[in-house]
Every structure is written in C-alpha cells, then in structure tokens.
Amino acid sequence: MTRNYLGRVPVAVLVASVLSGSVPPAQAQTLTMPDQGRLLALGGASQIEGAGGGGLTPWALITGYGSRDSYGANVHTTGVRTQDYAIDSAGIAIGIADRFEVSLASQKLQGSKAPLADLAITQDIVGLKLKLSGDALVDQDRAMPQIALGIQFKRNNGVHGLEALGVTDVTQLGARSNHGIDVTLSATKVLLAQSLLLNATVRATKANQLGLLGFGGDLHDRYQPMLETSVVYLVNRKLVVGAEYRMKPHNLSVDAEKAYADVFVGYFPVKNFSMVLGWVTLGDLTIFNPRRQNGVYLSLQGGL
C-alpha cells in the first residue's frame, strides 16, 4: 500500500474512482447545489489577491471543492502585520465545473509608524482563471501538471493620509498608472505518494507592491515576467505545511521593492472552513521606512 496523506486509502483505488466519476450516493447532487466532490485541502486557500492558491501566489487549481459537474464558492479574509505596515484583503470566489474561476477582492495598505503612520491605500481586484489542461490529482502516472491561465484586473483607489504633503494619488509617487492587469500562467502537480503539492507561476506584471503603489514607474514601465513558487507538504488529511517565494519588479525610485516569501501552516478541519497561519517577509515597502518588513499573516476561508 502506498504511503500518502490520504491515510489508508490506496492511491490506485482513489484515482480509479476519480477517473470513473463515481461518488457516494449521498454526494450525488445536481448543479443547483455544490457537490464538494474534490479532496479535502486540495481546494486550496485564497491568496492575497483573491485567487485560489497559497498565501502569496495563485495555483492552477480551481477554487472550491466542486467537481467537474458542479461548482464551489467561498469568502475569505486575510491580514498581514509587519513592523510598520498592515495589509488586509477580503473577497469572494467561485469555481465552476473545476474549469473556471471568478474572484473579487479588496485590499488595504495602512502605515503604523511615522512618517507614514496615517497612510491608507486601497485597491480592488477582479480575477479570472481558466484551466487549460491536465489534472493535478488524476494524472498521477504522468509528469503533466495541471495548467491554468489567470488574469487579474486591478484598480488603485488613491492615497489617503498624505494630503498635507499634497499626495492623493499613486501617480504622484512616481507610478505611471493607477490601474493595471497581471497575467499569470500556473502549473500545479500533486504527488500523492510523496504527499506533496508543487506549483510554479509566471506572472507578467507592472504592479508595484501588488498594485497598492500603482503600476509602472520612473525606473521601468513595461511588463516583466516574475517567477512565483510554492511547495506544500500534506501532513495528513487536514494539516499542511508549506513555503512560497514570489519575485517582484522594481519600478519606483521611492520603493526599493524586493521579493516576498513565506512559510505557513494550513488547517482544513472541514471543506467549509480553512485557516492558514504564516510568517512572511515583504522586503522593503517604500524608502520612508527603510527596513525589511517581516511579520505574520492569518487567512480564514469559509465556503460551500
């Protein structure tokens, strides 16, 4: 019997049941109700921009637990706290037929230390994701990962708390625009025998600090490819541990932007609720508080 996080369920039996599309009679439902047909924990969490994935980067997995014959939906709230800043995100997401995902999220960046103690910046994000090929779970005998294309439409809502300095918009900090589009291509592979989930995402972006400081800048104003990676170990059915790394562009003179990274623990007691607690490093956020921003984040998700 193959050792894996599914405990006493042989991988061969599990994959055969998934391939056949069979589910217990109690779970057989119509499209009017979500069937929650996917495995616990493999619905993922909500990343900080609202897409299904880890904490920092989207995965090729479609959010929620709906099978190819159903759908899934969830709401999330995420809070990040470093020495000088707080980033909060909240949103909703829907996964349809394990093929298509729509997400809506709102972010807020706040300062907590002079000279940016009164800083507040918000932005809204609309995300779309389409699974192009592969199946991260079913394709255990193939090297082919699940691949998905994502688009995130972002609009910055302005700068508050710096009116005394005459700054009310991110373009006054050097950004070329207050709105932009990120395009992501993600590949995710689940290795059941090794209890691992591996993900790599390439993001084409001009966003400064996720877009909270606008898009493009006085140093660069072009799309650049940025690599994002996740490694997750499935301890058991309900508990995972992982790490992520996300490259970032450096477009603004007033923002010495650096890569993000985190380590986290995820707990999935039931399919309707999950909690992710992590330690994160965000690099420098603006030259006005010039030190590496390290802290904690907590993400809560509830869904159908």
Side-chain angles (χ1 to χ4, degrees):
M1 183 177 296
T2 306
R3 180 185 179 275
N4 59 81
Y5 89 106
L6 295 170
R8 299 183 179 180
V9 181
V11 171
V13 174
L14 171 70
V15 173
S17 66
V18 174
L19 283 170
S20 66
S22 63
V23 295
Q27 294 183 3
Q29 301 184 30
T30 67
L31 283 175
T32 60
M33 289 294 291
D35 60 12
Q36 296 193 339
R38 295 165 60 196
L39 292 179
L40 185 64
L42 294 187
S46 295
Q47 62 102 206
I48 198 167
E49 289 146 307
L56 297 178
T57 184
W59 299 344
L61 301 179
I62 301 300
T63 195
Y65 288 99
S67 72
R68 63 185 181 182
D69 298 317
S70 185
Y71 68 94
N74 56 65
V75 297
H76 84 274
T77 180
T78 300
V80 180
R81 299 293 183 269
T82 69
Q83 306 99 310
D84 305 324
Y85 300 96
I87 300 177
D88 295 298
S89 174
I92 62 175
I94 300 174
I96 303 170
D98 195 24
R99 172 70 62 177
F100 187 65
E101 175 183 304
V102 181
S103 61
L104 304 173
S106 178
Q107 291 181 330
K108 185 175 184 179
L109 169 68
Q110 292 180 284
S112 60
K113 183 178 179 180
L116 301 179
D118 298 322
L119 176 69
I121 302 175
T122 62
Q123 77 166 344
D124 299 319
I125 303 170
V126 177
L128 305 174
K129 187 195 297 182
L130 176 66
K131 181 167 74 173
L132 300 178
S133 63
D135 191 294
L137 175 63
V138 174
D139 293 332
Q140 293 297 301
D141 58 345
R142 302 173 60 198
M144 179 73 175
Q146 182 167 319
I147 298 175
L149 178 68
I151 301 177
Q152 294 177 339
F153 302 90
K154 303 180 177 183
R155 175 168 289 277
N156 191 286
N157 298 318
V159 179
H160 304 280
L162 300 182
E163 289 85 357
L165 301 177
V167 177
T168 59
D169 191 86
V170 289
T171 57
Q172 294 170 293
L173 297 173
R176 294 297 181 90
S177 178
N178 62 5
H179 60 277
I181 298 173
D182 285 4
V183 179
T184 61
L185 185 65
S186 300
T188 304
K189 184 67 177 176
V190 176
L191 304 172
L192 287 178
Q194 291 76 33
S195 300
L196 286 175
L197 181 150
L198 306 175
N199 180 82
T201 295
V202 177
R203 179 186 300 264
T205 183
K206 296 197 293 183
N208 310 316
Q209 303 295 356
L210 308 176
L212 289 165
L213 296 184
F215 303 84
D218 54 320
L219 298 181
H220 303 285
D221 186 32
R222 65 178 183 275
Y223 278 94
Q224 301 177 63
M226 296 288 148
L227 177 65
E228 306 172 13
T229 60
S230 303
V231 178
V232 181
Y233 179 70
L234 308 166
V235 179
N236 55 44
R237 290 174 181 264
K238 299 182 178 181
L239 186 67
V240 306
V241 295
E244 297 177 293
Y245 178 81
R246 177 169 173 171
M247 294 176 61
K248 305 297 296 305
H250 180 201
N251 298 322
L252 292 173
S253 297
V254 299
D255 177 29
E257 189 165 3
K258 295 181 175 63
Y260 291 176
D262 70 8
V263 292
F264 63 87
V265 176
Y267 180 52
F268 301 81
V270 292
K271 292 183 179 180
N272 303 102
F273 176 77
S274 66
M275 176 176 64
V276 179
L277 178 66
W279 177 90
V280 62
T281 178
L282 303 181
D284 298 350
L285 271 72
T286 81
I287 62 174
F288 303 108
N289 293 124
R291 60 174 174 171
R292 182 174 292 274
Q293 298 296 313
N294 302 324
V296 297
Y297 77 82
L298 175 66
S299 181
L300 305 175
Q301 177 178 286
L304 300 174

